[in-house]
Amino acid sequence: MGKKNRKFVYLFILVLIVLYIAIYVVPKVTGIFETTETLEAGSLQGTEETICYFVREETVYEAGVSGELAYPIKEGTHIRKGTKAIKLAEKTLPKQEESKYKEIIDRLGESAVQTADGKVGSSGIFSSYVDGYEAFFTPESMETLKYEDVRDLKIQAEDVKRDESLAREPIFKISDNDNWYLMCWVEAASVAKYEIGNEMTIQLPEGAVGVTIKNIIEDGDHWKILFRCNRYYKGFSKSRIEEARIITRDYSGLIAENGSITTRDGKPGVMVRQTSGEYVFTRVKILARDGDYSALQDVSFIDEDGNSVDTVKVYDEILKHPGEGT
């Protein structure tokens, strides 16, 4: 084969390689950087992560005399008024300069009830866990408590069950479980999800409880939500502050990955593929969002200025990971 023919063969092979790359390789490589998802109808559970504060009608009992203690009642047992909750046998104990429960005693102030016979003055749940805030978080005070009053509190209940007690030291408490309360604060943008009288579910570290919204109160830049509950919760007596997830409602809409949503001029939106192959920013209204997905209003929505905005439709193809907007 002459040099001229070999050059022609090499050129032909090179053209084939270029065509192969253009047809098969380039689309796959660009697909790595430009993947899309198709919007389809579905439902998403609306949730909100927050901190809940437990509010109970509860009475802390302190030893009327120094002595030996015995606890015949198990933690978490519901007992009736007049029940002998503990046994306290008077005994002289070595003097101490300061009680190990001084901080709890100081916080309780005059709210604790002294007992020498161990009998309770009201029905409720027996517990040996005391934090000293029993007279601070009450059904009477919860309406007036401010976010500033509670946001920096670090509260851990202490188990006061022991063999001996000095006089005036906490020894147990009784909590009313007929009606108890959870209290949280949410941002102004979230308050529309809540309405007095609505029933919701709150997921807590030791289980979920059904609640009813008792009141919604404006508190500066936040809104305080008060929930009433009468359900069993394992950590009822010990818990004071817990991380919680509020399940507000189920939302129906078009489901998109959170990573597909960007912003432009501070407005949320997605990049919708056109028939020309170009992508156009389209504003969206997010109905609900969890850790992975969002439920979007379809066809149109009314924005904060009262204007009707055309938005995404079912089967729209949108760009994943469009990057940060401006």
Side-chain angles (χ1 to χ4, degrees), residues 107 132-138 141-142 145 149-150 153 155:
R107 285 196 294 267
Y133 287 89
E134 286 79 7
F136 181 80
F137 290 96
T138 69
S141 70
M142 66 183 182
L145 283 176
D149 299 331
V150 305
L153 293 178
I155 304 174

Side-chain angles (χ1 to χ4, degrees), residues 297-325:
Q297 176 70 49
D298 64 344
V299 183
S300 66
F301 65 88
I302 304 300
D303 69 7
E304 60 275 12
D305 298 319
N307 301 315
S308 179
V309 179
D310 292 333
T311 186
V312 290
K313 301 180 292 296
V314 67
Y315 303 134
D316 273 352
E317 187 179 358
I318 65 172
L319 187 64
K320 288 186 177 181
H321 310 294
E324 294 295 327

Side-chain angles (χ1 to χ4, degrees), residues 2 25 34 52 71 73 79 184 204 216 228 278 305 307:
V25 177
E34 190 180 280
C52 274
Y71 289 77
I73 306 295
I79 61 176
C184 75
L204 296 163
I216 302 172
R228 182 176 65 248
E278 295 181 354
D305 298 319
N307 301 315

